[in-house]
Amino acid sequence: MRGSLERPRRLRRLTVVGGLAAALALGAVSATAGVVQAQGLPGQALTAGTSTTTSALLPDYDNEIVTRFDSANSVEHIRHLAVNIGPRLNGTPQEREGAEYIGGILESYGFKVSYQTWGPVSTKRVAKVTSPNADLPGGPNWQMAASTSGKFTGDNGVEGQVVDAKTGQSAADFPSDTEGKIVLVDYSTTASVRNTAVANAVSRGAIAVILAYPTGNSAPPSFTLTTPQPNLPVIGGGSAHSAWIRGLLAKGPLTLRIATNEYVNPMGTNVLAVRHAVGDPTGTKAPIVMVGAHIDSVLGAPGAHDDASGNGVSLEIARVLGKYPLDKELRIAGFGGEEGGLLGAREYVKTLTAEEKARFVGEWQMDMVGTPYEPARLWALTPNGQSNFVVEEAYKAADRVGFEGLRNCRLGQSDHQAFYDAGIPASLFIWLDYRPPAVCGSSGGSYVTEPEYHRPTDTMDNISPERLQITLDVVGGAVAHNALNAVKVSAVSDGGQPLAGAPVRADCGDGERNVGMTGTDGRLDAVFPHATCDFTVVVDGATVVERGVSISGDRELEVTVDLTKPTISLTKPADGAVFTLGAAEIVSYRCEDNLSGVAACTGTVPDGGALDTSTVGFHEFAVNATDKAGNSADQKVTYQVVYPWHAYFPETMDGKAGSAVPIKFSLGGDRGTGVIAPGYPASQQVTCDTGEATGAAAPTATPGNSKLSYGGGQYNYVWKTEKSWSGTCRKFELKLDDGSSHFTTIRLK
């Protein structure tokens, strides 16, 4: 960050995921409708609607992408920039080297990379300090200030052992073997003291002089000498350099190599990576989502936190999002010259046409996004102190991952200012001990940076993987959400009513995933890559599947859920129908559904099949219908199968009390003697003229030897009457085990 309200949320995770996360690779939609080529495994092709897993639903794309962000990858990129390259002062070869490293990584992720050279910028005079025999604290590449009063060696430099001359003000400060060595002396803000120290070192045969702050937390100083020393390099080091060198000397001999260079009016470098939208390969119409960080660091600082950390996060965002086919253009930028006045970002914004600016969704700028400095918190800062689209999307992403710590207020001083000035929604995301005013607005707050800020100690020790992960989850989550297509799913009933609480699933060729649940208005907002998907909505057991939905850009999808049961028309058997034993009867029924259509229509036997009349008694016949939405209907009827009955007795007859009355009938053959229902036959006294019952019915088996026999093709039941029944009338009921009853009334004399 160039030197110069509160809204709480929830926290999801602080741990670092180990290893490289396996990322989904979705390809282009094929010429065949509804087919998406996917690369879940090398050489594997998936078809929409075919799930790769049956054990569990995949998460929605927001969650899936966030879980694939891994700050361990960011840490390695930061390490390369801050350690392998080291300080990256604007206009120096190291700034360019940083840009080319970032560009190479982005090319490997499938981005089209270009470099913008701009300037010239102010002349830079720097010393690169390395060691052939020691591991230098803070990294192998130190940077100090090269004084114009000394020699510029070029890349070849000088190499020698280091001796400590303390203040360098007297002969006693110098070891006897100073000649041919590099002399370390304390830097003084007093010019005469500096001149004396250097002159003494030169007189004793030094090949280079390092003037380093002995105390405090100082950056390397730039200075001149009253008496120039054109025959040897004279460089200024920070207090950390002084402490580190003296610490190494305490352990034994130390050799350093010093190369000093003067870069006169050098050029700055930006790196820009573009991943064009699927339907916009030339980049002329698709919305633009952009992520930025700055490449350069200040003189002498490795810039691990400021701002290799921003590049480490942006590269990880690029790695994960680069696996998805997108309908929005994704841009990743590394800007040079931020520390000199937002130079690279302003040069880049100058190249944007009015049409390009209008296509910007937003620019998410990251600067100093991972210090372990305890008072620091994650802030979203805008030049006017007001929230904007980029800030609000970060808050939404924080909500999704459960992070409560994001705050927003006012600050420029980083590359987001250039985009803001061009009318593009932008915000700076930074871990900073920011002290906001009572109300954020035209006047911003104050801030305190970590002690390592703009110092040689801004090394890997100033990097927190946990805070990098939070930044990835929040900022990366917001970027990913906006890079994907916004799909508004509406679930309505077949009657046109919104369906709240309806689970929505989608299969875009890589397996079925849980999209979410509709709200009280029956709507659900979700995001998807460019794909063809099958959507499934379930309500009260009813399921509707919208197949082959093309998602190319933001869109709305209305899903009508069939909640109406199918209808059943059962013609035969009818409820209560009676059929003769063994009769050949054909069933007849059909199922209908005018909405989603009939999926199944099944009966006790298939339509057109033979009705079961093989046994007498009451039988149930059932039909079940299911439609394609999962609604089901049932219809049940009861039919009766009876013997082929023929009676050989009239409905009324005369008999003699105390004598046997024969009841003869035929059942179409010998059915055995167990054809009479339990408790029957029964007789009951009735009035002779009206037939109205005057007593309770009683089984006829009680008197005498009443019994059933079969012979001559007919049944004969001998009913033994009682003498006491003389002069009465009795109703005789013969109920069979087929459920049928047969009657006769007998007048007894």
Side-chain angles (χ1 to χ4, degrees):
M1 184 184 74
R2 181 187 176 211
S4 51
L5 217 267
E6 296 195 359
R7 296 174 55 173
R9 296 292 190 267
R10 296 184 306 276
L11 175 63
R12 180 180 66 90
R13 69 175 181 182
L14 282 173
T15 57
V16 178
V17 181
L20 292 174
L24 170 69
L26 291 175
V29 178
S30 74
T32 304
V35 176
V36 177
Q37 296 303 313
Q39 193 177 335
L41 295 172
Q44 181 182 41
L46 303 179
T47 303
T50 303
S51 176
T52 59
T53 178
T54 58
S55 59
L57 292 175
L58 296 171
D60 63 47
Y61 284 103
D62 273 327
N63 283 314
E64 177 178 89
I65 289 172
V66 166
T67 58
R68 287 175 171 166
F69 289 141
D70 186 350
S71 67
N73 297 324
S74 298
V75 168
E76 292 311 306
H77 295 309
I78 297 167
R79 189 184 312 281
H80 186 90
L81 290 168
V83 177
N84 295 359
I85 297 175
R88 301 167 304 284
L89 186 63
N90 177 220
T92 65
Q94 288 75 30
E95 181 187 61
R96 179 73 185 193
E97 186 180 353
E100 291 177 350
Y101 170 77
I102 294 167
I105 296 297
L106 290 167
E107 280 185 338
S108 73
Y109 295 157
F111 285 75
K112 181 179 179 181
V113 174
S114 62
Y115 299 91
Q116 180 187 10
T117 300
W118 46 267
V121 298
S122 61
T123 296
K124 302 298 189 298
R125 301 172 181 90
V126 295
K128 182 176 182 180
V129 181
T130 58
S131 174
N133 73 334
D135 292 330
L136 299 183
N141 299 297
W142 286 350
Q143 186 182 73
M144 300 185 194
S147 175
T148 56
S149 300
K151 178 182 180 180
F152 291 106
T153 66
D155 292 337
N156 291 330
V158 297
E159 183 176 305
Q161 286 191 5
V162 179
V163 294
D164 185 356
K166 303 178 179 61
T167 65
Q169 299 302 299
S170 68
D173 287 338
F174 289 86
S176 60
D177 59 347
T178 298
E179 185 174 359
K181 295 184 179 178
I182 298 171
V183 174
L184 170 68
V185 296
D186 294 339
Y187 174 80
S188 173
T189 57
T190 302
S192 61
V193 174
R194 293 197 302 268
N195 290 333
T196 298
V198 174
N200 287 339
V202 171
S203 67
R204 284 159 178 77
I207 62 171
V209 180
I210 302 173
L211 280 74
Y213 277 104
T215 60
N217 186 22
S218 302
S222 296
F223 57 88
T224 58
L225 301 173
T226 303
T227 304
Q229 301 293 337
N231 296 320
L232 81 169
V234 180
I235 65 177
S239 52
H241 294 133
S242 174
W244 288 338
I245 291 173
R246 286 180 168 131
L248 291 170
L249 287 173
K251 298 177 182 178
L254 171 65
T255 299
L256 293 179
R257 184 176 184 277
I258 297 174
T260 54
N261 280 286
E262 181 178 39
Y263 301 106
V264 179
N265 299 326
M267 303 297 284
T269 303
N270 294 336
V271 58
L272 176 67
V274 178
R275 194 165 183 271
H276 290 303
V278 171
D280 186 25
T282 59
T284 58
K285 59 184 179 180
I288 298 169
V289 174
M290 188 165 189
V291 181
H294 71 84
I295 306 167
D296 62 315
S297 61
V298 298
L299 176 68
H305 190 222
D306 186 15
D307 181 34
S309 65
N311 291 285
V313 169
S314 66
L315 287 172
E316 179 63 359
I317 292 172
R319 181 188 73 84
V320 174
L321 283 185
K323 303 295 184 180
Y324 293 84
L326 303 174
D327 290 299
K328 294 185 178 70
E329 184 175 304
L330 181 60
R331 295 187 181 183
I332 308 291
F335 301 115
E338 187 268 354
E339 301 290 0
L342 322 181
L343 302 178
R346 294 192 189 280
E347 290 294 330
Y348 170 73
V349 170
K350 287 179 185 178
T351 69
L352 299 176
T353 65
E355 291 77 11
E356 270 186 295
K357 294 175 185 176
R359 290 196 287 131
F360 266 81
V361 174
E363 197 265 350
W364 283 259
Q365 183 69 25
M366 285 173 291
D367 192 348
M368 300 169 58
V369 290
T371 178
Y373 182 52
E374 177 49 38
R377 296 293 179 265
L378 181 58
W379 287 86
L381 302 173
T382 59
N384 65 352
Q386 300 299 312
S387 182
N388 60 19
F389 177 80
V390 170
V391 174
E392 290 305 312
E393 289 300 296
Y395 273 119
K396 292 176 184 177
D399 277 336
R400 288 192 294 271
V401 299
F403 176 64
E404 295 181 338
L406 182 63
R407 305 287 188 269
N408 70 280
C409 198
R410 179 182 182 273
L411 190 68
Q413 297 183 212
S414 193
D415 292 326
H416 65 302
Q417 179 78 54
F419 292 88
Y420 170 84
D421 292 342
I424 295 171
S427 178
L428 165 66
F429 294 90
I430 185 170
W431 283 88
L432 185 65
D433 182 13
Y434 184 89
R435 286 64 179 300
V439 178
C440 282
S442 58
S443 62
S446 61
Y447 61 84
V448 176
T449 57
E450 69 265 26
E452 295 78 14
Y453 174 69
H454 283 188
R455 296 294 184 268
T457 50
D458 185 10
T459 64
M460 294 305 295
D461 290 337
N462 195 26
I463 292 297
S464 164
E466 292 80 10
R467 286 181 169 180
L468 289 173
Q469 190 67 56
I470 293 172
T471 308
L472 281 165
D473 292 352
V474 174
V475 182
V479 171
H481 186 86
N482 284 277
L484 296 171
N485 297 315
V487 178
K488 297 183 180 295
V489 181
S490 297
V492 297
S493 69
D494 44 22
Q497 297 300 310
L499 297 174
V504 180
R505 304 192 300 270
D507 187 341
C508 301
D510 57 329
E512 195 169 37
R513 63 183 68 244
N514 178 21
V515 178
M517 188 173 292
T518 59
T520 56
D521 59 354
R523 296 174 67 88
L524 168 67
D525 293 336
V527 289
F528 289 83
H530 179 96
T532 299
C533 307
D534 295 343
F535 284 82
T536 302
V537 179
V538 182
V539 179
D540 295 335
T543 302
V544 62
V545 180
E546 292 283 346
R547 298 191 182 278
V549 177
S550 177
I551 300 176
S552 178
D554 299 344
R555 62 161 296 166
E556 295 187 2
L557 172 66
E558 182 173 280
V559 179
T560 300
V561 182
D562 176 7
L563 297 177
T564 303
K565 295 180 179 181
T567 59
I568 299 171
S569 176
L570 177 55
T571 304
K572 191 174 186 178
D575 192 34
V578 179
F579 301 99
T580 302
L581 181 67
E585 302 289 344
I586 302 301
V587 301
S588 176
Y589 59 87
R590 70 176 184 274
C591 306
E592 295 179 318
D593 188 278
N594 295 327
L595 297 170
S596 59
V598 175
C601 182
T602 58
T604 305
V605 297
D607 178 47
L611 183 69
D612 182 12
T613 59
S614 61
T615 58
V616 297
F618 293 94
H619 301 267
E620 185 178 86
F621 191 91
V623 178
N624 174 265
T626 304
D627 65 18
K628 293 178 181 178
N631 301 300
S632 62
D634 296 285
Q635 185 172 342
K636 296 179 181 179
V637 298
T638 300
Y639 67 94
Q640 185 180 10
V641 177
V642 298
Y643 296 114
W645 167 266
H646 180 75
Y648 293 102
F649 54 87
E651 292 184 4
T652 60
M653 60 181 176
D654 294 329
K656 183 177 180 180
S659 299
V661 177
I663 304 297
K664 297 182 179 182
F665 59 92
S666 171
L667 299 180
D670 186 358
R671 311 294 181 183
T673 57
V675 296
I676 299 177
Y680 292 90
S683 70
Q684 184 178 30
Q685 185 175 343
V686 297
T687 60
C688 293
D689 52 350
T690 65
E692 183 178 352
T694 59
T700 61
T702 302
N705 295 317
S706 299
K707 63 181 181 177
L708 178 68
S709 62
Y710 181 83
Q714 65 181 15
Y715 283 94
N716 184 30
Y717 183 80
V718 179
W719 178 23
K720 184 67 174 179
T721 63
E722 297 191 23
K723 290 183 180 181
S724 60
W725 294 350
S726 177
T728 65
C729 290
R730 302 200 62 93
K731 186 176 183 180
F732 177 87
E733 180 182 3
L734 177 64
K735 186 173 184 179
L736 302 177
D737 63 353
D738 64 4
S740 62
S741 290
H742 308 276
F743 302 90
T744 183
T745 300
I746 304 174
R747 185 187 302 273
L748 295 168
K749 298 181 180 178

